[in-house]
Amino acid sequence: MIIRPPTLDWSTFQISDVPANPEPFRLANRIPIRDNGEPLVDLRETNPELSFGTYCLPYVRESVAEALKIASRNTPDHLELWVHTALRTLEQQAEMYWHNYNRAKEEHPEWPESVLRKMTNRFFAPPDVKAPPGHCTGGAVDVGLTVRETGEGLDVRSPLTGWDSAPTAVHGLSEEAAENRRLLCFLMHSSGLSNCRDEFWHWSYGDSAWAVRVGADVAPYGLVEPPEGATRVVGPRIKTDPYDPAYVDHFEELKAALEGSLGALAHEIVHIGSSSVPGLTGRPILDLGLVAPDDETLAKAAEILCDLGYVRQGDEFRAEARDVPKVDALRKWPAHVVHACLDGSRVLRRHVALRDHLRMDPDSAGKYADLKRELARKHTWDGTRYDEAKSRLLRAILTQVDPSLADPSWDK
């Protein structure tokens, strides 16, 4: 299908220019659904200029992807359109809906069933009615705006919070928040998508609620399942940067900070990963190997790392905020990960063997850098596929260096 977006003038556009028609479910349930079979597409592939929320299932119908391209083209260069929710399964929608229904029931035991449903329906589409929720059709997206360089979201709510700030044309926003929300609405309305007036972030096309809002006789999108092999967004955008000589200094500063907090528990801290190989292109993230002599020491060190603000994922401790490790209230640290390893373990030997080989073999380092650039372009928002493809080359390198280190457990 072709969405025909309106022609808008930013200088005169106001949020009140966005149609704010009600969309009661009793009317949406009367709209006949004639699914046109338009396929889902992966926004990571069709719209790589977008940014995504972690765990987003980034699939929408083709026409919605095209509309988002229009919105992205109009977005100022220093900003990015951020999609934090796209496709949902009906099971996910039901879990979210009934969770909020039960919470309202606990908080307001005096409410009758009709009121509980009405209040829950205001912000959560029911999964048990004829009209499927917009996110379950591939026709809806929840969006925001972020700063390209930092990933920080623009303020579109202050001084309001929570559901009080949800209505698109709400009054009482600060001047900055109102202007940012005006920009978001301008971009989305000019794409041809339609807004739910109770949620400034929710825009859709082709679903039953859209049909009610725009006065369409038929909804062209019905319930749809994720494509086979669908994956979620895991982590931030993958990008590769040229080697930065400052990596050496950053490592030494982080090492000193960790040694100061861990004391004797820090048996050894080594620099590993791409940032440890001079001249190697890679993701701008430092990798540090924390070496412990035994399991007991490793467990104690892990507790301290968590106290310092790291988020544990298996044997990795990720600094998900710039002030981690929390040893200096004013200090902002570079992005980094601490890998907890036992002295002499296969994991540690593998990291060190790769580092030393790449330092000594420019040809291998060059092939590795070329592959990472290609994978970052191909799998910009899919860290799982990026890591899987990268691992195949690293296994081949390890087979040459030390075959005992290149076994299937590399992927585990």
Side-chain angles (χ1 to χ4, degrees):
M1 295 189 301
I2 298 177
I3 298 179
R4 302 191 182 279
T7 300
L8 304 177
D9 181 354
W10 164 248
S11 64
T12 60
F13 174 80
Q14 298 297 325
I15 289 179
S16 57
D17 295 332
V18 177
N21 299 325
E23 47 185 275
F25 289 106
R26 61 180 176 79
L27 295 183
N29 289 330
R30 297 175 187 172
I31 299 290
I33 299 172
R34 297 174 189 164
D35 197 301
N36 61 9
E38 189 176 299
L40 293 170
V41 297
D42 188 337
L43 288 172
R44 292 170 294 193
E45 298 175 0
T46 60
N47 300 62
E49 71 282 356
L50 298 172
S51 62
F52 299 93
T54 302
Y55 304 121
C56 173
L57 194 57
Y59 302 91
V60 297
R61 303 278 188 151
E62 279 183 333
S63 295
V64 177
E66 289 298 320
L68 290 171
K69 287 181 180 179
I70 295 173
S72 293
R73 283 198 294 267
N74 292 329
T75 301
D77 291 341
H78 70 291
L79 300 176
E80 290 179 325
L81 194 63
W82 175 55
V83 177
H84 52 89
T85 307
L87 185 66
R88 281 198 198 115
T89 65
L90 192 60
E91 292 76 15
Q92 291 165 341
Q93 184 73 25
E95 181 180 359
M96 181 180 65
Y97 181 88
W98 292 114
H99 171 78
N100 285 279
Y101 171 90
N102 290 327
R103 184 172 63 179
K105 188 174 183 179
E106 291 177 4
E107 294 175 352
H108 300 279
E110 75 281 5
W111 284 0
E113 171 71 9
S114 59
V115 174
L116 285 169
R117 293 283 282 192
K118 179 179 179 180
M119 297 306 294
T120 307
N121 290 355
R122 183 181 177 191
F123 295 113
F124 303 95
D128 58 343
V129 297
K130 180 181 177 182
H135 285 294
C136 300
T137 70
V141 288
D142 293 342
V143 296
L145 288 169
T146 61
V147 179
R148 183 179 298 276
E149 282 298 314
T150 65
E152 181 181 3
L154 289 194
D155 178 15
V156 289
R157 293 176 179 265
S158 295
L160 306 179
T161 59
W163 294 114
D164 290 339
S165 66
T168 304
V170 69
H171 295 289
L173 296 176
S174 69
E175 183 177 350
E176 177 184 359
E179 188 66 2
N180 289 338
R181 186 177 293 201
R182 184 171 81 96
L183 174 60
L184 178 63
C185 290
F186 172 80
L187 296 172
M188 296 306 297
H189 185 42
S190 64
S191 76
L193 298 181
S194 173
N195 176 241
C196 168
R197 68 178 188 176
D198 289 326
E199 298 178 343
F200 69 85
W201 58 84
H202 183 92
W203 298 75
S204 71
Y205 177 78
D207 60 315
S208 299
W210 163 87
V212 173
R213 289 196 298 266
V214 303
D217 295 329
V218 173
Y221 297 160
L223 191 65
V224 67
E225 291 294 324
E228 184 177 354
T231 60
R232 293 185 177 276
V233 173
V234 285
R237 170 185 277 116
I238 296 172
K239 65 175 183 176
T240 57
D241 286 351
Y243 176 81
D244 185 350
Y247 288 153
V248 176
D249 292 335
H250 293 329
F251 165 73
E252 293 295 339
E253 292 167 353
L254 282 163
K255 177 182 177 182
L258 291 173
E259 287 176 337
S261 297
L262 293 167
L265 298 176
H267 176 66
E268 185 181 9
I269 297 177
V270 296
H271 196 180
I272 55 178
S274 295
S275 65
S276 68
V277 181
L280 180 59
T281 296
R283 299 173 70 178
I285 302 174
L286 273 71
D287 291 276
L288 294 84
L290 172 63
V291 184
D294 52 59
D295 288 329
E296 182 180 357
T297 302
L298 196 62
K300 293 179 180 177
E303 291 181 8
I304 294 177
L305 289 174
C306 291
D307 290 341
L308 292 174
Y310 289 93
V311 176
R312 183 170 189 173
Q313 297 178 351
D315 293 328
E316 294 183 358
F317 294 80
R318 296 187 172 273
E320 296 187 352
R322 292 292 306 279
D323 62 347
V324 174
K326 297 181 182 294
V327 295
D328 183 342
L330 300 178
R331 183 61 190 266
K332 300 299 181 184
W333 301 98
H336 65 283
V337 178
V338 177
H339 303 259
C341 310
L342 286 174
D343 194 7
S345 66
R346 180 187 295 269
V347 170
L348 178 62
R349 290 164 52 210
R350 191 178 280 146
H351 281 304
V352 173
L354 282 169
R355 179 197 67 189
D356 293 347
H357 177 77
L358 293 172
R359 283 176 174 177
M360 295 185 299
D361 189 340
D363 289 340
S364 292
K367 291 178 181 178
Y368 186 35
D370 289 343
L371 175 65
K372 287 194 289 184
R373 281 190 289 265
E374 178 185 351
L375 294 176
R377 177 191 57 78
K378 185 177 180 180
H379 302 306
T380 305
W381 287 98
D382 195 335
T384 300
R385 290 176 181 170
Y386 175 90
D387 288 337
E388 287 175 350
K390 188 179 68 169
S391 295
R392 287 193 286 271
L393 176 59
L394 295 181
R395 273 201 305 271
I397 294 174
L398 280 171
T399 300
Q400 298 176 353
V401 177
D402 184 347
S404 69
L405 299 177
D407 62 31
S409 67
W410 172 266
D411 293 327
K412 297 180 181 178

